[in-house]
Amino acid sequence: MKIASRISRVNPSMTLAISAKAKAMKADGLDICSFSAGEPDFDTPEHIRAAAKRALDQGKTRYGPATGEPALRSAIAQKLQQDNQLAYEAKNVMVTNGGKHSLYNLIMAIIEPGDEVIIPAPFWVSYPEMVKLAGGVPVIVETTAETDYKLSAEQLKAAITPKTRLFILNSPSNPTGMVYTSTELRALAAVIVESDILVVSDEIYEKILYQRAEHISMGSLNSEIFKRTIISNGFAKAYAMTGWRLGYLAAPEAVIQAVNTLQSHSTSNVCTFAQYGAIAALTGPQDDLTMMRQAFSKRRLAIMEMVAGIAGLSYIEPKGAFYLFVDISQTGLGSIEFCERLLAEKQVATIPGIAFGAEGTIRISYATDLDTIERGMNRIDGFVKAYT
């Protein structure tokens, strides 16, 4: 059977593939320590689940607007005004089937074949693949540990051409955990405004920060960058709602109308009763979010201490999200070989850095309990000693 050529241009998600393999091994009875998935190991907070249950009982099971339930769009706009100092109204908000879906919809709606999209590396695995599916050209700009894996304004300016349409910014970052400062963002914003391109700010990890790191939304810096900024966010990471598939875009009304047209012919509305859980997440108590962030903070400190004690490994301290991006180059193994052997020999699942555009590294997720972290890191220690 002939398959469309666009599919052959796209690489399957390595993070999902490794996570699935680890789960299959665990189902076979093996003791797997999985550091692969970017998924909080906590239950969705009770008041959020209760709100969705009430919505079910109240018959909120029918089709809704493709743009999302009006009450949720209003709650998101209010959140963006209060938390991020972004002057959006409900008409500027689109509810999507997860944060990933918001980015896919956006790219499909604004990228023409041949348009260039600037993506700093290391990058989240799906960014370049989405651009390819839209017929665009991913322009990968490499960063290094010496700059904390952050893109400079000079690098951004050098990468811009007459074909540049969009710049993708992710802070806090998956996979590195880096958080851009106000000074760094202002320098990038100046280049974006001068070049008159768009930026999508992926802020899915905005609530998971450490050591007084501050999340600043690019669009809040001034009126000119606000005009050119699109926000992608969701509920998966901060509220442990990964399976709910709830995300959103905030953008100029013309962009929202374009994305609405696309979504109305693909998925239509997001699950109706689930959206009432999202309303409760934004408007209800935030105690569970604080508890989860404190747990991640303890795990972060523990895993950094353990990696620091393994000769041959190094890392840059993450300021957000729940990942440690580890340099494995001293082992002499490529990242895929390292991860495949580690899983086969030690039953520890990690993600090869090549999936993020950074060979010689691996991503370790500490969205798991401290016992798993200790057992898994002891196994990695033994594994690395064989190669250093």
Side-chain angles (χ1 to χ4, degrees):
M1 181 181 292
K2 183 179 179 181
I3 304 298
S5 60
R6 72 177 68 89
I7 301 301
S8 66
R9 295 193 292 268
V10 175
N11 297 311
S13 171
M14 198 174 295
T15 56
L16 294 181
I18 291 177
S19 295
K21 185 174 182 179
K23 288 177 181 177
M25 293 172 68
K26 188 173 183 178
D28 288 338
L30 293 174
D31 178 24
I32 302 296
C33 293
S34 183
F35 300 138
S36 58
E39 180 173 40
D41 59 323
F42 301 100
D43 291 332
T44 302
E46 193 280 331
H47 72 282
I48 298 173
R49 288 179 280 136
K53 292 174 185 177
R54 282 195 303 272
L56 273 171
D57 291 339
Q58 294 167 359
K60 309 288 189 184
T61 58
R62 299 186 181 276
Y63 292 133
T67 48
E69 291 296 304
L72 177 55
R73 295 176 74 197
S74 294
I76 292 169
Q78 185 174 11
K79 177 265 178 202
L80 291 168
Q81 293 167 19
Q82 293 179 349
D83 292 1
N84 307 105
Q85 293 73 55
L86 297 168
Y88 288 119
E89 301 177 34
K91 66 182 181 181
N92 301 112
V93 174
M94 177 89 190
V95 182
T96 61
N97 292 277
K100 180 182 287 190
H101 190 222
S102 74
L103 289 162
Y104 178 79
N105 278 353
L106 171 68
I107 289 169
M108 293 300 291
I110 69 171
I111 297 301
E112 299 272 16
D115 284 349
E116 293 179 352
V117 178
I118 296 174
I119 305 172
F123 47 74
W124 179 51
V125 295
S126 293
Y127 293 150
E129 310 311 319
M130 291 176 181
V131 173
K132 293 175 191 175
L133 282 169
V137 179
V139 176
I140 308 301
V141 183
E142 294 185 4
T143 65
T144 65
E146 286 69 33
T147 61
D148 289 346
Y149 296 114
K150 295 179 186 179
L151 183 78
S152 69
E154 292 74 21
Q155 285 179 296
L156 176 60
K157 187 172 185 177
I160 293 172
T161 76
K163 293 183 178 180
T164 303
R165 174 68 170 153
L166 180 68
F167 165 50
I168 299 179
L169 174 71
N170 179 211
S171 177
S173 163
N174 175 9
T176 67
M178 294 301 106
V179 178
Y180 282 81
T181 66
S182 175
T183 300
E184 292 163 343
L185 289 173
R186 289 183 184 280
L188 292 171
V191 174
I192 293 165
V193 171
E194 179 186 4
S195 303
D196 195 20
I197 62 172
L198 297 174
V199 54
V200 57
S201 182
D202 181 352
E203 304 185 359
I204 193 74
Y205 294 96
E206 66 164 328
K207 298 294 185 182
I208 306 174
L209 298 166
Y210 313 105
Q211 290 188 325
R212 296 187 296 278
E214 181 183 7
H215 170 72
I216 299 170
S217 187
M218 173 74 84
S220 70
L221 297 176
N222 58 61
S223 60
E224 287 303 309
I225 191 63
F226 178 71
K227 296 175 186 176
R228 296 165 174 83
T229 301
I230 298 156
I231 303 297
S232 169
N233 208 329
F235 299 84
K237 313 300 183 178
Y239 297 99
M241 296 172 69
T242 52
W244 291 61
R245 308 317 302 137
L246 284 161
Y248 59 87
L249 280 174
E253 195 172 359
V255 173
I256 296 301
Q257 290 173 351
V259 173
N260 179 46
T261 298
L262 176 65
Q263 185 159 301
S264 69
H265 288 294
S266 53
T267 62
S268 190
N269 66 288
V270 175
C271 175
T272 302
F273 59 84
Q275 293 185 61
Y276 287 85
I279 294 170
L282 292 178
T283 62
Q286 303 296 300
D287 298 350
D288 288 283
L289 189 154
T290 301
M291 176 276 294
M292 288 186 278
R293 184 169 56 239
Q294 290 172 345
F296 289 139
S297 181
K298 291 178 181 178
R299 297 168 182 183
R300 167 183 171 272
L301 293 173
I303 204 164
M304 286 195 301
E305 182 178 354
M306 293 176 195
V307 173
I310 301 176
L313 301 184
S314 62
Y315 64 89
I316 299 297
E317 182 178 337
K319 297 297 193 300
F322 37 66
Y323 307 108
L324 195 66
F325 205 57
V326 179
D327 188 319
I328 60 162
S329 57
Q330 291 188 43
T331 67
L333 298 176
S335 62
I336 292 178
E337 184 181 10
F338 184 100
C339 292
E340 288 179 343
R341 288 191 177 187
L342 180 63
L343 183 57
E345 297 173 19
K346 298 293 186 178
Q347 289 77 58
V348 177
T350 57
I351 305 296
I354 196 170
F356 308 105
E359 182 55 285
T361 61
I362 61 170
R363 190 193 75 178
I364 298 176
S365 169
Y366 49 89
T368 189
D369 61 274
L370 285 169
D371 177 66
T372 299
I373 288 173
E374 183 174 359
R375 289 187 296 113
M377 293 312 304
N378 285 335
R379 296 180 192 182
I380 290 177
D381 187 13
F383 178 80
V384 170
K385 282 178 179 176
Y387 295 94
T388 55

